[in-house]
Amino acid sequence: MWQPGQILQERYQLQKQLGKNAGRQTWLATDMQASPASPVTVKLLAFNPQMQWDELKLFEREARVLKNLNHPQIPKYRDYFSVDEREGGGLPWFGLVQKYIPGDSLKQLLDAGKSFTEKEVRSFAVEVLNILNYLHKLSPPVIHRDIKPSNLIWGKNKQIYLVDFGAVQDRAKAEGVTFTVVGTSGYAPPEQLWGKAVPASDLYALGATLIHLLTGTSPADLPQRRMGIQFKDKVRITSDLADWIERLVQPAPEKRFSTARQALDALSLSTLSPVLSGGQAGQEPAFYGDKRDNFLGGKGMVSFSDEEDLKLVLSMISRACISVIIAFYFGWYSLLFIGALIVQESHEKPANQNQNNCEVTCPVD
C-alpha cells in the first residue's frame, strides 16, 4: 500500500519501512515542516474489517499517553492523524508520529548473534529502571505492560530507549473494569495474563528481558519450576546479580521488589557485594562460571569484576581512613582540653584554700 517517497498530511515523506505485521506498518519518514527537516517514526494502523476494536483503542491510548510524557529516553510524541479511505487505498488509516531514535532494538542485536556482558546488562537495567521510576510515579501511574528486547532500542549514543506504548495501562481508568489481556509470552507475569497489572509487573518483564540478554534464549523456552524461570545454571554472572534478577521474576508480585526505585537501590548495593565478598561455601568465589584475576593476583583474595569496582572500593577505603583520622584528632584535642581544665582547677584550689586559712589564723595588727 504505502511506498517510499509518499507524503502523508502534506508533511511526512516516507523513506524506509522499519516494520510490518497484520494491519500495521512502521516507517522512517522525514518531517518536511520541521526546521531543519528531521527524521521521525510514523506508525500506521489500518482500520479494516478483520481488526478487533480493541486494537484501535490501544493505538489511540498510546497516542494519548505519549502526548503527556516527557522523558529523554522515551521517543517524544510529535503528531496523531487519520487518513481517509480515498488516500488510504480503500481503508481508513491512523498515524502516530514520534521522534526517530537511530539505533537497533536489543531483539535485532540478539538475532544477529550478539552476546551481552554483565556490565552492559547492569547498565541496561539501571536505565530501564530510571524510566520505569518516572512512569510509575506519574499520576495516574503509567504501566508499560510489554517490556521486552524488541521494545528497547540501543541508540547510537549508547543509551537505552523504551518504545511501543501500545499496551500501556492507565491505572486510574482501569480500576473495576475488564482489562484487555496484553503482553508477550515469556515476558508477561502471571497476574498480567489474568488482566491485572501493577508496577511490579513491569519489573518482571524487565527481569525476563535481562535473562534473555544473558542466556541468548527467550524466557519462554527456558525450563520453569513452580512457574519460576530457571536460568542461573545458564549464565556467567555474579551471584548477587543472579539473585537480584531472580527476585524480579518471582511469580508472585508480592515477592518482587514493589517499586522501580527499590529495585534500583538493591541493584546499586549488589555491585558492592562481589567486591567485598569472596563467596559463600559451596559457591564459586564471586562469579558464576567466570574465571577472573583476583586483587593483587593472589588466590582467596577479594575479586573485582572490573576496574570501576576497584576504584569504588579504594575510594570507600580512603574516605573511611579520612574519617578515622578526623575522629582521632578530634578525640586527641578533646583530651588535651579536658586535661588543661583539670590542671588549671588543681592549681586554683590550693591558692583559694591558703587564702581561707589566712583569714582564720592570721593575727590582726
Side-chain angles (χ1 to χ4, degrees), residues 329-339:
Y329 279 107
F330 180 79
W332 175 252
Y333 282 114
S334 297
L335 288 175
L336 288 177
F337 179 73
I338 294 172

Side-chain angles (χ1 to χ4, degrees), residues 187-196 201 204 224 226-228 249-253 256:
Y187 305 96
E191 72 274 7
Q192 194 168 309
L193 301 179
W194 290 97
K196 180 181 180 182
S201 303
Y204 181 101
Q224 293 193 5
R226 297 179 180 177
M227 299 180 68
V249 294
Q250 287 294 311
R256 302 174 209 145

Side-chain angles (χ1 to χ4, degrees), residues 38-77:
S38 60
V40 293
T41 300
V42 178
K43 296 175 65 175
L44 296 167
L45 174 69
F47 190 76
N48 59 61
Q50 291 76 34
M51 186 185 75
Q52 295 184 3
W53 185 252
D54 283 341
E55 292 184 60
L56 179 57
K57 289 197 302 182
L58 291 172
F59 195 75
E60 292 178 335
R61 182 190 298 171
E62 178 179 11
R64 183 180 66 249
V65 170
L66 283 172
K67 190 174 183 178
N68 294 308
L69 298 182
N70 183 22
H71 190 281
Q73 287 168 270
I74 297 174
K76 194 168 184 61
Y77 168 93

Side-chain angles (χ1 to χ4, degrees), residues 149-216:
S150 60
N151 286 339
L152 293 170
I153 304 298
W154 197 7
K156 298 296 185 182
N157 60 359
K158 299 304 180 183
Q159 287 188 314
I160 287 290
Y161 295 83
L162 180 59
V163 301
D164 196 350
F165 281 67
V168 69
Q169 173 182 309
D170 183 336
R171 293 199 66 210
K173 298 181 180 179
E175 300 292 343
V177 300
T178 302
F179 290 88
T180 302
V181 177
V182 295
T184 303
S185 177
Y187 305 96
E191 72 274 7
Q192 194 168 309
L193 301 179
W194 290 97
K196 180 181 180 182
V198 294
S201 303
D202 281 345
L203 299 183
Y204 181 101
L206 171 61
T209 296
L210 299 180
I211 289 173
H212 193 169
L213 298 181
L214 290 166
T215 63

